[in-house]
mmCIF file of all heavy atoms in Angstrom:
data_model
loop_
_atom_site.group_PDB
_atom_site.id
_atom_site.type_symbol
_atom_site.label_atom_id
_atom_site.label_comp_id
_atom_site.label_asym_id
_atom_site.label_seq_id
_atom_site.Cartn_x
_atom_site.Cartn_y
_atom_site.Cartn_z
ATOM 1 N N LEU O 130 -26.684 1.396 -20.218
ATOM 2 C CA LEU O 130 -26.823 1.505 -18.760
ATOM 3 C C LEU O 130 -27.391 2.863 -18.361
ATOM 4 O O LEU O 130 -28.300 2.964 -17.527
ATOM 5 C CB LEU O 130 -25.449 1.290 -18.108
ATOM 6 C CG LEU O 130 -25.396 1.433 -16.588
ATOM 7 C CD1 LEU O 130 -26.108 0.248 -15.922
ATOM 8 C CD2 LEU O 130 -23.943 1.499 -16.100
ATOM 9 N N GLU O 131 -26.857 3.912 -18.984
ATOM 10 C CA GLU O 131 -27.297 5.266 -18.619
ATOM 11 C C GLU O 131 -28.734 5.530 -19.072
ATOM 12 O O GLU O 131 -29.478 6.230 -18.394
ATOM 13 C CB GLU O 131 -26.342 6.313 -19.197
ATOM 14 C CG GLU O 131 -24.967 6.349 -18.524
ATOM 15 C CD GLU O 131 -25.030 6.851 -17.074
ATOM 16 O OE1 GLU O 131 -26.083 7.345 -16.634
ATOM 17 O OE2 GLU O 131 -24.012 6.712 -16.365
ATOM 18 N N VAL O 132 -29.108 4.984 -20.225
ATOM 19 C CA VAL O 132 -30.493 5.149 -20.677
ATOM 20 C C VAL O 132 -31.428 4.455 -19.702
ATOM 21 O O VAL O 132 -32.461 5.010 -19.295
ATOM 22 C CB VAL O 132 -30.684 4.598 -22.116
ATOM 23 C CG1 VAL O 132 -32.160 4.484 -22.474
ATOM 24 C CG2 VAL O 132 -29.970 5.483 -23.120
ATOM 25 N N ARG O 133 -31.056 3.247 -19.288
ATOM 26 C CA ARG O 133 -31.875 2.497 -18.335
ATOM 27 C C ARG O 133 -32.012 3.264 -17.015
ATOM 28 O O ARG O 133 -33.098 3.402 -16.472
ATOM 29 C CB ARG O 133 -31.184 1.138 -18.102
ATOM 30 C CG ARG O 133 -32.019 0.120 -17.412
ATOM 31 C CD ARG O 133 -31.140 -1.108 -17.170
ATOM 32 N NE ARG O 133 -31.798 -2.030 -16.271
ATOM 33 C CZ ARG O 133 -32.514 -3.074 -16.675
ATOM 34 N NH1 ARG O 133 -32.657 -3.327 -17.940
ATOM 35 N NH2 ARG O 133 -33.082 -3.861 -15.790
ATOM 36 N N ARG O 134 -30.881 3.779 -16.539
ATOM 37 C CA ARG O 134 -30.901 4.577 -15.300
ATOM 38 C C ARG O 134 -31.824 5.768 -15.422
ATOM 39 O O ARG O 134 -32.584 6.094 -14.519
ATOM 40 C CB ARG O 134 -29.483 5.107 -15.004
ATOM 41 C CG ARG O 134 -28.665 4.234 -14.115
ATOM 42 C CD ARG O 134 -27.315 4.867 -13.835
ATOM 43 N NE ARG O 134 -27.406 6.163 -13.149
ATOM 44 C CZ ARG O 134 -26.372 6.959 -12.925
ATOM 45 N NH1 ARG O 134 -25.174 6.621 -13.337
ATOM 46 N NH2 ARG O 134 -26.525 8.094 -12.291
ATOM 47 N N GLU O 135 -31.738 6.445 -16.573
ATOM 48 C CA GLU O 135 -32.533 7.649 -16.764
ATOM 49 C C GLU O 135 -34.020 7.319 -16.827
ATOM 50 O O GLU O 135 -34.853 8.025 -16.253
ATOM 51 C CB GLU O 135 -32.083 8.371 -18.042
ATOM 52 C CG GLU O 135 -32.649 9.755 -18.201
ATOM 53 C CD GLU O 135 -32.308 10.681 -17.045
ATOM 54 O OE1 GLU O 135 -31.233 10.523 -16.428
ATOM 55 O OE2 GLU O 135 -33.144 11.558 -16.735
ATOM 56 N N LEU O 136 -34.358 6.229 -17.539
ATOM 57 C CA LEU O 136 -35.765 5.833 -17.634
ATOM 58 C C LEU O 136 -36.323 5.553 -16.242
ATOM 59 O O LEU O 136 -37.432 5.973 -15.895
ATOM 60 C CB LEU O 136 -35.911 4.583 -18.509
ATOM 61 C CG LEU O 136 -35.700 4.784 -20.008
ATOM 62 C CD1 LEU O 136 -35.706 3.447 -20.729
ATOM 63 C CD2 LEU O 136 -36.770 5.699 -20.589
ATOM 64 N N TYR O 137 -35.543 4.840 -15.423
ATOM 65 C CA TYR O 137 -36.022 4.538 -14.075
ATOM 66 C C TYR O 137 -36.071 5.787 -13.193
ATOM 67 O O TYR O 137 -36.955 5.926 -12.349
ATOM 68 C CB TYR O 137 -35.195 3.412 -13.437
ATOM 69 C CG TYR O 137 -35.802 2.066 -13.770
ATOM 70 C CD1 TYR O 137 -35.380 1.335 -14.859
ATOM 71 C CD2 TYR O 137 -36.867 1.573 -13.025
ATOM 72 C CE1 TYR O 137 -35.965 0.130 -15.203
ATOM 73 C CE2 TYR O 137 -37.469 0.369 -13.354
ATOM 74 C CZ TYR O 137 -37.016 -0.348 -14.446
ATOM 75 O OH TYR O 137 -37.629 -1.522 -14.782
ATOM 76 N N ALA O 138 -35.133 6.716 -13.411
ATOM 77 C CA ALA O 138 -35.155 7.958 -12.622
ATOM 78 C C ALA O 138 -36.410 8.779 -12.949
ATOM 79 O O ALA O 138 -37.067 9.314 -12.057
ATOM 80 C CB ALA O 138 -33.890 8.768 -12.892
ATOM 81 N N ILE O 139 -36.733 8.856 -14.239
ATOM 82 C CA ILE O 139 -37.937 9.604 -14.651
ATOM 83 C C ILE O 139 -39.183 8.897 -14.114
ATOM 84 O O ILE O 139 -40.101 9.531 -13.578
ATOM 85 C CB ILE O 139 -38.003 9.742 -16.192
ATOM 86 C CG1 ILE O 139 -36.843 10.609 -16.701
ATOM 87 C CG2 ILE O 139 -39.341 10.349 -16.620
ATOM 88 C CD1 ILE O 139 -36.687 10.609 -18.213
ATOM 89 N N ALA O 140 -39.200 7.565 -14.238
ATOM 90 C CA ALA O 140 -40.343 6.793 -13.748
ATOM 91 C C ALA O 140 -40.509 6.973 -12.239
ATOM 92 O O ALA O 140 -41.635 7.090 -11.738
ATOM 93 C CB ALA O 140 -40.163 5.316 -14.092
ATOM 94 N N ALA O 141 -39.388 7.036 -11.522
ATOM 95 C CA ALA O 141 -39.448 7.189 -10.066
ATOM 96 C C ALA O 141 -40.142 8.490 -9.678
ATOM 97 O O ALA O 141 -40.935 8.526 -8.733
ATOM 98 C CB ALA O 141 -38.041 7.141 -9.470
ATOM 99 N N GLU O 142 -39.852 9.560 -10.430
ATOM 100 C CA GLU O 142 -40.517 10.844 -10.168
ATOM 101 C C GLU O 142 -42.036 10.707 -10.252
ATOM 102 O O GLU O 142 -42.770 11.248 -9.436
ATOM 103 C CB GLU O 142 -40.060 11.886 -11.193
ATOM 104 C CG GLU O 142 -38.659 12.376 -11.000
ATOM 105 C CD GLU O 142 -38.549 13.293 -9.790
ATOM 106 O OE1 GLU O 142 -39.283 14.285 -9.729
ATOM 107 O OE2 GLU O 142 -37.734 12.992 -8.897
ATOM 108 N N THR O 143 -42.481 9.983 -11.278
ATOM 109 C CA THR O 143 -43.919 9.803 -11.492
ATOM 110 C C THR O 143 -44.529 8.933 -10.409
ATOM 111 O O THR O 143 -45.537 9.284 -9.795
ATOM 112 C CB THR O 143 -44.158 9.138 -12.868
ATOM 113 O OG1 THR O 143 -43.506 9.921 -13.858
ATOM 114 C CG2 THR O 143 -45.632 9.023 -13.185
ATOM 115 N N VAL O 144 -43.899 7.779 -10.175
ATOM 116 C CA VAL O 144 -44.493 6.790 -9.274
ATOM 117 C C VAL O 144 -44.511 7.302 -7.836
ATOM 118 O O VAL O 144 -45.474 7.074 -7.102
ATOM 119 C CB VAL O 144 -43.733 5.441 -9.380
ATOM 120 C CG1 VAL O 144 -44.210 4.461 -8.329
ATOM 121 C CG2 VAL O 144 -43.900 4.865 -10.777
ATOM 122 N N ARG O 145 -43.484 8.022 -7.443
ATOM 123 C CA ARG O 145 -43.445 8.553 -6.071
ATOM 124 C C ARG O 145 -44.671 9.406 -5.771
ATOM 125 O O ARG O 145 -45.187 9.410 -4.661
ATOM 126 C CB ARG O 145 -42.161 9.353 -5.852
ATOM 127 C CG ARG O 145 -42.014 9.853 -4.420
ATOM 128 C CD ARG O 145 -40.606 10.217 -4.085
ATOM 129 N NE ARG O 145 -40.037 11.105 -5.096
ATOM 130 C CZ ARG O 145 -38.756 11.412 -5.163
ATOM 131 N NH1 ARG O 145 -37.903 10.912 -4.307
ATOM 132 N NH2 ARG O 145 -38.313 12.229 -6.090
ATOM 133 N N GLY O 146 -45.143 10.131 -6.801
ATOM 134 C CA GLY O 146 -46.324 10.972 -6.610
ATOM 135 C C GLY O 146 -47.638 10.196 -6.623
ATOM 136 O O GLY O 146 -48.681 10.745 -6.273
ATOM 137 N N GLU O 147 -47.574 8.937 -7.063
ATOM 138 C CA GLU O 147 -48.810 8.155 -7.220
ATOM 139 C C GLU O 147 -49.102 7.239 -6.051
ATOM 140 O O GLU O 147 -50.196 6.706 -5.949
ATOM 141 C CB GLU O 147 -48.708 7.276 -8.484
ATOM 142 C CG GLU O 147 -48.837 8.041 -9.775
ATOM 143 C CD GLU O 147 -48.685 7.119 -10.977
ATOM 144 O OE1 GLU O 147 -48.376 5.924 -10.802
ATOM 145 O OE2 GLU O 147 -48.870 7.615 -12.095
ATOM 146 N N VAL O 148 -48.122 6.980 -5.215
ATOM 147 C CA VAL O 148 -48.336 6.026 -4.120
ATOM 148 C C VAL O 148 -48.262 6.738 -2.771
ATOM 149 O O VAL O 148 -47.752 7.859 -2.679
ATOM 150 C CB VAL O 148 -47.298 4.871 -4.155
ATOM 151 C CG1 VAL O 148 -47.419 4.075 -5.445
ATOM 152 C CG2 VAL O 148 -45.879 5.388 -3.981
ATOM 153 N N HIS O 149 -48.761 6.082 -1.741
ATOM 154 C CA HIS O 149 -48.672 6.616 -0.379
ATOM 155 C C HIS O 149 -47.194 6.790 -0.012
ATOM 156 O O HIS O 149 -46.368 5.953 -0.380
ATOM 157 C CB HIS O 149 -49.345 5.632 0.581
ATOM 158 C CG HIS O 149 -49.523 6.191 1.953
ATOM 159 N ND1 HIS O 149 -48.509 6.236 2.883
ATOM 160 C CD2 HIS O 149 -50.600 6.756 2.550
ATOM 161 C CE1 HIS O 149 -48.952 6.798 3.989
ATOM 162 N NE2 HIS O 149 -50.218 7.123 3.814
ATOM 163 N N PRO O 150 -46.867 7.888 0.692
ATOM 164 C CA PRO O 150 -45.454 8.118 1.035
ATOM 165 C C PRO O 150 -44.802 6.918 1.738
ATOM 166 O O PRO O 150 -43.629 6.621 1.489
ATOM 167 C CB PRO O 150 -45.506 9.330 1.973
ATOM 168 C CG PRO O 150 -46.747 10.057 1.577
ATOM 169 C CD PRO O 150 -47.728 9.007 1.112
#
Side-chain angles (χ1 to χ4, degrees):
Chain O
L130 177 71
E131 289 292 350
V132 168
R133 193 185 169 96
R134 267 182 61 187
E135 191 58 31
L136 288 173
Y137 271 93
I139 294 170
E142 287 287 305
T143 306
V144 173
R145 184 161 50 191
E147 286 178 354
V148 298
H149 190 280

